Every structure is written in C-alpha cells, then in structure tokens.
Amino acid sequence: MKEPEITEELIREHGLKAEEYARILDILGRPPTFTELGIFSVMWSEHCSYKSSRIHFRNFPTSAPWVVQGPGENAGIIEIGEGLCAAFKMESHNHPSFIEPYQGAATGVGGILRDIFTMGARPVASLNSLRFGPLDEPLQRHLLSGVVSGIAGYGNCIGVPTVGGDVYFHPCYSGNILVNVFNLGIVKKGKIFRGTASGAGNPVIYVGSKTGRDGIHGVTMASEEFTDDAEQKKPNVQVGDPFTEKLLLEACLEAMDKDLIVGIQDMGGAGLTSSSSEMAGRAGTGIELYIEKVPPREKDMIPYEFMLSESQERMLIVAKNSKVEELLEIFRKWDLEAVVIGRVTDDGFLNVKWHEKTVAKIPANKISSEAPFYDRPYERPAWQDALQALDTNAIGLPADYNKVLISLLGSPNIASKQMIWQQYDHMVRTNTVVLPGSDAAIIRIKETGRVKEAGRVDKTGDWREMGIAMSVDCSSRYCYLDPYLGGMHAVAEAARNIACSGARPRALTDNLNFGNPEKPEVMWQFVNAVKGIGEACRVLETPVVGGNVSFYNETKGAAIYPTPTIGMVGIFEDVQRHLTQAFKREGDTVALLGATREELGGSEYLAVIHGIERGMPPSLDLEAEKRLHGLLFEAVPFLHSAHDCSEGGLAVALAESAISGGVGAGISLKPLLGDGKREKPMRKDALLFGESAGRVVVSLAEEDLAALKGLCEKWETPLFELGRTGGENLKIDAEIDLPLGELSNAFNHSLRQHVESR
C-alpha cells in the first residue's frame, strides 16, 4: 500500500494544529512519514499528552510518608502496612461508551485492570462513576443498559468484583455520558514493577492478543467534541475479551513473581506507540521495533495501523536477556501470543522498522514527555453571577413535607442503585465486607492477619485483618455553580464517606471531566476546580497519586457540567472495626455531628421540588472536616452506625439509615435551632433538606452518649441529640411521619420504575 501524501487536510484530520506540525518539522528536520504523522497525532492528543491541563497539576499535593508511587506511572501506590501496598487508578471511557455502550464500558474496565496489574498488583476491587441524561429519553435508557451490561460482562467474567460506585442523571449529559472506572489492587512493597525500558540490548516482547484495526485513533476521538457523526466513529471503539485478559493477568503476575521482567506497560490508549515511547522516555533510552513481527489479526495491515491500533488485552515487556525463553514459555503456557518484536537501544529514539525499512524514527522523549503544552486563557463566564444568585424569599415552603421526602427518595440521583449493582458480581474472591449501597465500599485484605496486642480485647477475637475503604464522589451541580468550592466538596465528601466507614482517608485518584478547554469559560471551570481539589487535599492530608483528564465532553457546543470525580481510598488496621449507614437496633440514640446552616443553593431539593439550579453550594470548613474524621475514627468502638448527610440533606440521610436497617426513628429538630437568638427562624425546608457540609448522622447506645460528647469536645465538633431509633415509622417533628414500607418502596424501586415504565 502506498502511503498517502502529507497534506494540510491530512494534518487537520489527525487533529494537529499548524503550529504543532511546524514543531514536528523542527524535531525531525524533515517532513514526517505517514506512520510518524500518526504517532505524533496520538501522542500529542489531549488524551495522551494532557497538553491543556498538566501545567495546573502543580496545585496538587502528591507526596506523603505512605505514598510509594505518585503521578506519572500507570497507577498510584500507597503503603497499607504489613509489607503490602495498594495500587489504584481511575480512567474514563466516555466517548467510546456513548458510541457503543457495551464495548465502550467493557474495554474501559479492561484498560483500568491492566493499569493495575502492570504495576505488579493483583486487582481486587472495582468501582465506577456514571453520568447519563434524563431517563425519559429512550437513548439514555439504552446507554444505561449497555454501559451497565458492559461493566458487568467484563468484570464478572474476569473475576474482579465491582463493589460500589455512583450514578447521576442530568440533561447536561444527554450528548456526552461519562463512564469513569476505578480499580484497586494489592502488591507486595518489594514486588512493584514500572513501565521502563532499561538495559540496552534487552529484548522487547509483545504479549497477549493479536493486533487488529479496532480502536485506531481512539485517543484522537477522545480529544474532540462530538458533532453529528458519532455513529460513524464506531470503528474507533475497541472490542474486549475478558477471558483473554484473565489469562494475561495470570501470566504477567507469574512472570513478575519469577523476576523475569525489567519493565512492563499496557498497550492502552495509542497502543504500541504509547507503550514503547513512554517506556523509553521514562528510562532515557530508545527502542527499536520490528513491526512485521507483531501478530496480526487482520490481513494486509500496514505499520501505521500496527502502531496506532488499540486492540485490547496486549502488553509490552522488556525482559532480562538471559530470561527470554523462560518468559516466552510462561505466556505460551497460558495460550497467549508472545513474540520478541524489538530491543532496547541507547540512542534515545523510537525507531520503527518494517521489513528492515525505517518507517518512523523519532526522539522518544519528544513524543512521550515533551509534547506541546498550553497555558490556555481562562475567564469567569459573564453568566456566573446570575447563576449564583438565589432569593430564597421567593421560594415557598412545601405544603406537604411527607410528599417532598418521598419525591426526593424517588429521585434517580438519590434512589437506590440496587437494580444496577445487582448485575455486578460484588462477592467474587470473597473479600467484600460491605455490599454496595452504604457510604463506602469495604474489602478485607486476606494476606494480613496477626495476633492483637496484649491486653486488647474486642468483638473481633484474636486475629485482625486489614481492610480498605473506597468511595467515588462528585457533585457536578456544585461544580457548575462554583467550580472552586465544588472541587473542594468532591474531595471532602469522598473523604467523609471513608471516615463514616471507620477508615482513615489516605489518598486519591481523580477523573477530571470537562468540556472544550479551548473555550475560556470551560478552562476557568477546570482551573478553579483543580485549585479547590488541591486545597482540600492539602488540609485533609490526602495526596493525589494519579488520575485522568477527559476534555472535549461537548456535543454541538453544549458542554457537560464540570465533573471532577474523586476516587478516595482509606485504610483499616482492623476491618472488623467498620461502620455502615444502617440503624442496627431499637432504642439507640440518634445524633447529628456537625453544624446545620440555612443553605439551599445547589441542593437536590431545589432541583427536584422547585426546578431551580442556582445559588452557591454549601459553605465548607476544611479544618472542621478534618476534625470530624478524627472524631469518627476514635468513636468507632461505640458507634452502631454513621451516615454522611449529602444529597437531600438530613431528612434523606435519616430515611436511608432507617430503610437500610429496617428500624424506624422518632426525631426532633429542636436541638438544631439553637438558643432561639437568631434574627429569624431557620426555614424548615432548609433544616430538613438543606445540604450543609461536614455533617454525619450516627446512632449509638444511650450509655455511650457521654463518651461521644467527650470526644466531640476534644475534636471541637458540635453534637446534637435528635431522638431514638425504634418503631416502624420515621417521624420528624410534626412535619414527617411515614411508614418504613412507603419510604423503602420509593427508595428501592423508583429507579427501576423510571427505566421500565417508559
């Protein structure tokens, strides 16, 4: 096949700007070949290079005594104790999932799993964060069904449990759904592997599936807005095979255990191009590839296609020279392709050969770590002031608070996502301690377990297993109203969910989903959200160890709400020392930790009941949040439940705790009204449904209340005794009195009714 002529039109089709092409000419000292043009196109795409975002990441704290690997590798790693580490990462597969929901979501799961086991870690738990348009749109119901089936199909088949996540619905996602996937794995501290091509002369080995034409220019597609041709982009979507991935996982871990590998990298976005150039770039070496040796899945493939294909379940390995045959034999035993396709060099070039002819020769660092970057202009939108203005005096109080609570519990954003997570195998590997549906997902680490310290006796007996809590969170509405405050809220809520489970929040990965960064108002949203995330991480001591940026989530000029999703990880020294949101027994005291303010801006209550999305998000005191985490961790031994107040406010949090435990409660809000010296009484709807941050509903035995009050004084956290658990109704003053059955019906069955009744 004759290579096409490099024209201005072809350059534009590859997503390269005129000034970027000029830089390519300067780097090469000549016009690029067709293969080189493709390589620059994918490696300098927004998806691979982060050219619009990376200068802003200096705002993120990335180190702490427990951080083993920060940003820059396939996954971040933190130490968890007993010689073990947790490797975790979150990635997006937004555009592919909109075009082909099943395969888009499935290959998103496959890709994040490879990011984890390429570090030497065995994947043990997955989460996801999904965003769709309203369910009254047939397309959105189709997308929801396909995405959930894709996540379930891949995760269930490979045997990695999906233990939690979040799902939201809003019109801003109608043209651009979000599919963010998270995975965490466990690795011994001395057995961590990295994506480096070290040792001139060492062989470069291709392992896994054969290479086809699927996924070519997938990363370029992910770096563009959608227009009307989304359906035509289906060839850009990869096709996954979880059974092959399972074989690949086991083969890689076996080779790692036998110390046969120098460096290893997933062939993910940009395929063989990114894996080879990034491995060489990190090591300061070069790589020479013999592309005709790559196992093809289709006939008459050319070097351009081999280098850019994003076929799934493939890895690139640099092996020790003396261990090549032993390594190849392992992969053949697992019935996988395993071929030496190149060698490490010391000249710093990515040198691609096709039957001894050089078809690409580029300095590896110029495409891996020295891509163009932009300090794009940003400007606060002119409409932001009007968006943040909210006159609550013009909003009438509800005539029926029972009806409001039922409506909120039935809102797709609050209602139980049971119909979704029931499709996932969340118990495979039997590490899952808490089923999906509470504040955080919790797993045990079976590799741990030791006799407790002398004299320490509690309900867990003589042995202790460590555990990990995980949560994914983001209120995109908050981020739309105020990106800085919204970014802080995303971190604070994720950390609060971890603390409510009884664990210590330790570190996070992120998935920053935004519109077109070339628009100053979108870049303003991004810059301020990053600043907010960074500020919250510094105060809460939860460093950012990795993440992903997904720009160009726009269709026909309409951008999604800014959605910087946070994946937070916390550690249990003793996983039996965990909490859930459910009321456990009758007669317990119900208390609220944290202050309630009259804050309705950005609330689900205003959106669902009044059709209003305006105002400022709730205020946020990060130092108070940090004290709350310390209080909860210390109070775990005598708390029976803990539940974060978030969407829907206090009334929804109380209802969720009652529904989860099957135990009613009698609640009085009078303690929240203070000494009566306020200039005007707090609105009843704000008390019930306002979303003031830094609040947790807890239940405990009455005899332990004095101890909790003592801890609240120590940690300078307000405590309000609200009532007692018991009975078959949730009663809140004179405003709310509803049977648990009615609450449960609204909460547990509404989402299915939204999906199936149309």
Side-chain angles (χ1 to χ4, degrees), residues 129-137 139-145 147-148 166-174 177-178 410-417 419-420 474 476-477 561 604 607-608 613 647 750-752 754-755:
S129 179
L130 312 177
R131 300 289 188 273
F132 299 94
L135 286 171
D136 58 3
E137 299 175 11
L139 174 60
Q140 300 304 314
R141 298 196 298 276
H142 163 72
L143 293 171
L144 172 64
S145 174
V147 165
V148 171
D166 70 346
V167 187
Y168 283 86
F169 304 88
H170 191 277
C172 76
Y173 301 110
S174 289
I177 64 172
L178 300 185
S411 162
N413 289 341
I414 291 177
S416 169
K417 308 307 185 293
M419 70 158 286
I420 292 174
C474 179
S476 55
R477 187 183 293 126
Y561 281 4
E604 191 74 5
V608 171
E613 290 189 301
E647 293 91 356
S750 291
L751 185 60
R752 187 177 297 277
H754 278 288
V755 171

Side-chain angles (χ1 to χ4, degrees), residues 521-579:
E521 64 271 20
V522 170
M523 203 62 206
W524 176 83
Q525 292 173 333
F526 177 82
V527 170
N528 281 276
V530 166
K531 288 180 179 177
I533 291 169
E535 179 63 19
C537 289
R538 276 185 287 276
V539 174
L540 300 180
E541 298 183 78
T542 53
V544 180
V545 297
N548 172 250
V549 179
S550 175
F551 276 132
Y552 296 97
N553 291 290
E554 294 198 16
T555 295
K556 300 179 184 178
I560 63 165
Y561 281 4
T563 312
T565 307
I566 300 299
M568 183 73 71
V569 172
I571 307 300
F572 292 96
E573 294 179 2
D574 181 355
V575 75
Q576 293 304 313
R577 224 175 143 265
H578 72 267
L579 297 169

Side-chain angles (χ1 to χ4, degrees), residues 670-698:
K670 290 179 182 178
L672 302 180
L673 299 175
D675 55 12
K677 295 181 180 179
R678 288 173 54 91
E679 291 184 10
K680 64 176 184 177
M682 192 182 302
R683 292 173 59 115
K684 182 67 75 168
D685 55 355
L687 276 172
L688 288 165
F689 311 118
E691 296 175 4
S692 292
R695 297 184 302 164
V696 173
V697 171
V698 299

Side-chain angles (χ1 to χ4, degrees), residues 67 98 100 149 188 228 438 647:
V67 174
F98 184 86
E100 212 301 302
S149 296
K188 292 180 180 178
D228 288 318
S438 197
E647 293 91 356

